């Protein structure tokens, strides 16, 4: 069911054609791509970059990671765009699990910078803010600003700053705009503010109080575009910005290993002995039953067994025969493997430094 690493993606078959004809949105004749969240979210920025040079695609937000994958595998959409890792909070495990669950491959990867703003409905100062709404990960990623620049966020403050979790930054902006997050639709302790993107603030008519309030000077999230392994998208060039500067080619795969000494060393040596750069190794618990990986050998899964996801750089001189030999070596040292394809990737590579006060632009102080 799954192609070994040495193979390229297969073209669509005649059986796929009727479904491919249904891949249109609202009868407009344009093809559909889905992303997580709403207009103004970081995901909407990411999909805009992927399809920058393909304006005919209709871009539609969906409510969950699972909905994005189902839209693609059902044929409703040709492509899906989801986050896979954040430079501060780390891996989004649900993306890895869903990649394995569905018959899809990765078509490209972009790093999207996160620039978060503190925004409110009214013109208020930092001393007035008593509620902050956002996704829990984003609240955590902006904790230094909240605890040092907002008087209510400092230790021992009375009343203390209330951090209100939301499903997304766009939901936070929407709730602050409607003033419906606090009990009975009001904010009894004082004004509320959202941590959101500038795009979300503008969409919901919010005023920006402070910009670029993240703990790190440069935050970035890796987004991937994925599509069905077979079908119309497999015959097309994957969406990727033509003006991307010096993208690299990556490949992603997943492995199950024997539970024995040296198993991880032997697998990694397949890349090391060929001078290939392994960029990331991620482990996930091995599921069983209906949630087991497709075609996984029965009777081999045990408690505390893991799957190993590996991203590696494809050298410029890497030939098909070299990839075939690598695939054979990897098969020798693994029980099972799944290929997610090779693709172009553009990420930011720079020193990771904390945010400074000079970097944080307080718009109220400048007004």
């Amino acid at each position: 069911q799954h192609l070994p690493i040495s193979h390229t993606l297969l073209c669509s078959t005649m059986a796929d054609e009727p479904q491919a004809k249904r891949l249109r949105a609202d009868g407009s004749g344009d093809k559909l791509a889905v992303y997580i969240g709403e207009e103004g979210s970081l995901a909407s920025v990411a999909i805009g970059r992927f399809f920058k040079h393909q304006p005919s695609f209709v871009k539609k937000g969906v409510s969950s990671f699972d909905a994005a994958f189902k839209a693609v595998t059902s044929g409703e959409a040709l492509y899906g765009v989801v986050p896979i890792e954040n430079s501060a909070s780390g891996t989004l495990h649900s993306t890895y699990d869903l990649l394995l669950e569905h018959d899809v491959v990765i078509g490209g990867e972009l790093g999207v910078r996160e620039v978060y703003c503190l925004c409110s409905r009214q013109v208020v100062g930092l001393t007035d803010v008593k509620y902050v709404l956002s996704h829990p990960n984003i609240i955590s990623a902006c904790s230094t600003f909240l605890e040092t620049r907002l008087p209510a966020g400092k230790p021992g403050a009375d009343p203390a700053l209330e951090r209100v979790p939301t499903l997304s930054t766009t939901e936070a902006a929407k709730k602050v705009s409607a003033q419906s997050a606090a009990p009975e639709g009001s904010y009894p302790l004082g004004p509320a503010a959202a941590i959101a993107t500038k795009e979300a603030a503008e969409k919901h008519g919010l005023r920006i109080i402070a910009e670029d309030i993240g703990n790190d000077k440069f935050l970035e999230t890796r987004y991937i575009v994925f599509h069905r392994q077979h079908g119309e998208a497999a015959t097309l060039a994957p969406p990727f910005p033509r003006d991307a500067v010096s993208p690299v080619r990556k490949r992603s795969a997943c492995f199950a290993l024997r539970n024995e000494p040296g198993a991880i060393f032997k697998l990694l040596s397949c890349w090391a002995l060929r001078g290939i750069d392994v960029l990331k190794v991620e482990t996930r618990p091995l599921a069983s039953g209906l949630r087991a990986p497709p075609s996984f050998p029965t009777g081999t899964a045990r408690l505390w067994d893991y799957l190993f996801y590996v991203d590696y750089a494809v050298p410029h001189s890497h030939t098909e025969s070299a990839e075939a030999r690598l695939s054979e070596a990897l098969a020798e040292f693994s029980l099972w493997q799944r290929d997610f394809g090779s693709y172009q990737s553009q990420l930011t590579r720079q020193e990771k430094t904390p945010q400074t006060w000079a970097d944080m632009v307080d718009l109220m102080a400048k007004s």
Side-chain angles (χ1 to χ4, degrees), residues 314-325:
V314 179
H316 292 294
S317 59
H318 206 56
T319 63
E320 290 188 11
S321 60
E323 185 63 35
R325 291 192 295 272

Side-chain angles (χ1 to χ4, degrees), residues 74-110:
S74 69
E76 177 189 352
L78 270 185
Y79 297 101
V81 172
V82 293
I84 193 168
E85 186 178 18
N86 177 267
S87 61
S89 57
T91 300
L92 284 86
H93 294 134
S94 57
T95 297
Y96 281 93
D97 295 342
L98 288 165
L99 279 171
L100 194 62
E101 181 180 333
H102 296 276
D103 191 19
V104 296
V105 291
I106 300 172
E109 176 185 68
L110 288 174

Side-chain angles (χ1 to χ4, degrees), residues 21 47 86 92 116 134 151-152 196 270 299-300 313 339 353 359:
K21 294 177 181 178
I47 198 171
N86 177 267
L92 284 86
Y116 289 109
S134 198
C270 296
T300 57
D339 179 32
T353 57
D359 295 321

Side-chain angles (χ1 to χ4, degrees), residues 96-287:
Y96 281 93
D97 295 342
L98 288 165
L99 279 171
L100 194 62
E101 181 180 333
H102 296 276
D103 191 19
V104 296
V105 291
I106 300 172
E109 176 185 68
L110 288 174
V112 180
R113 187 183 179 192
E114 297 188 21
V115 180
Y116 289 109
C117 306
L118 188 70
C119 46
S120 68
R121 185 179 180 188
Q122 309 98 339
V123 178
V124 298
L126 298 178
T127 57
D128 301 317
V129 177
K130 298 299 185 292
Y131 296 86
V132 169
L133 289 72
S134 198
H135 187 280
N137 287 354
I138 306 306
I139 292 176
S140 177
C142 300
S143 60
T144 298
F145 179 88
L146 300 181
E147 294 167 6
T148 57
R149 298 297 302 279
L150 298 187
K154 294 180 179 180
D158 186 21
L161 181 71
E162 288 202 25
R163 297 163 174 82
V164 182
T166 59
L167 294 176
S168 66
T169 55
T170 49
E171 182 188 26
K174 186 186 300 184
K175 285 189 171 183
V176 168
S177 177
Q179 294 205 352
S180 60
E184 300 178 357
S186 63
Y187 301 99
L189 300 181
I195 300 176
T197 64
K198 185 176 181 179
E199 292 82 0
E202 292 175 349
K203 175 178 171 59
H204 294 286
L206 299 180
R207 299 175 182 270
I208 296 175
I209 306 172
E211 287 185 288
D212 203 2
I213 64 173
N215 296 345
D216 292 338
K217 187 173 182 179
F218 196 101
L219 285 172
E220 189 171 75
T221 295
R222 294 197 296 133
Y223 280 83
I224 59 170
V225 59
F226 65 92
H227 59 83
R228 292 169 61 204
Q229 188 165 204
H230 313 292
E232 183 179 351
T235 68
L236 304 174
F240 198 80
R242 292 194 294 267
D243 55 358
V245 179
S246 302
V248 300
R249 180 154 290 277
K250 293 174 61 174
R251 194 166 203 118
S252 296
C254 180
F255 304 88
L257 307 183
R258 298 174 181 86
N259 191 358
E260 61 185 22
I264 300 175
F265 170 80
K266 292 175 184 176
L267 185 76
L268 293 178
S269 69
C270 296
W271 292 286
L273 294 174
R274 291 167 172 81
I276 296 176
D277 187 10
V278 172
L279 303 171
K280 179 180 172 68
V281 178
E282 181 75 28
T283 61
R284 293 293 295 148
L286 178 58

Side-chain angles (χ1 to χ4, degrees), residues 255-259 296-297 300 330-337:
F255 304 88
L257 307 183
R258 298 174 181 86
N259 191 358
F296 191 84
T300 57
L330 293 169
E332 180 181 354
F333 296 118
S334 59
L335 285 172
W336 173 92
Q337 66 183 52

